[in-house]
Amino acid sequence: MSSKNNIKVMPGAIVCEESKLKGDITIGSHSIIHPCAAIVAEAGPIVIGDYCLVEEQAKIIHRLPFDYAEQENAPVLIIGSHNVFEVDCAVEASNKIGCNNVFESKSFVGNKVNVTNGCIIGAGCRITEEQTLKDNTIIYGSNCFQREGLDRPVTQTAQIDTLSKMLPNYHHIRRPLKKN
């Protein structure tokens, strides 16, 4: 894979210059990338949907499983809209992350886990075994118990609106692509 960075920021997104972005990354409109967040596209491009929130020290790393055969066409990691990556979580998905998910503080999702829609990975929970989480799955507790949630997590639009106004006052912001 090429080591060249190709960062595309859609209009309305707030991406702090202090964030660590490496590889081919597209950030959807109205998404927020905090300073000290890290997004690394090692195995192929990452496309982040609209209204996603990536907080301080959160890490999104597109890394293929060790037993994955090399391919010429790099797979794209597609992250849906309205996802929240809380402080110091680490997500190494290699395929796709649906919409409306919450990765709570210090959670870890390995590269053989597929996350669908409306899932919550609880604070400190680590899931590494190969699996696909069904819609509205909640992982919680020190033993990473699973249950089905009744509703999807609430979207963070109020927090995104507040951060969109505050972050530019205190941090340098990457310029979004110009509207045509």
Side-chain angles (χ1 to χ4, degrees), residues 142-163:
S142 59
N143 293 324
C144 298
F145 296 114
Q146 288 190 26
R147 71 175 178 85
E148 183 179 346
L150 299 175
D151 295 317
R152 289 200 173 161
V154 177
T155 58
Q156 300 292 318
T157 49
Q159 185 177 6
I160 287 174
D161 288 344
T162 301
L163 290 169

Side-chain angles (χ1 to χ4, degrees), residues 116-127:
T116 55
N117 300 301
C119 297
I120 298 174
I121 313 303
C125 290
R126 294 181 57 83
I127 52 174

Side-chain angles (χ1 to χ4, degrees), residues 34-37 54-58 85-89 167 171:
H34 278 252
C36 299
V54 183
E55 295 182 355
E56 294 281 336
Q57 303 294 327
F85 300 87
E86 291 185 359
V87 175
D88 205 23
C89 73
L167 283 174
H171 298 280

Side-chain angles (χ1 to χ4, degrees), residues 54-66:
V54 183
E55 295 182 355
E56 294 281 336
Q57 303 294 327
K59 294 171 272 316
I60 301 172
I61 302 171
H62 183 21
R63 179 181 296 150
L64 292 178
F66 293 112

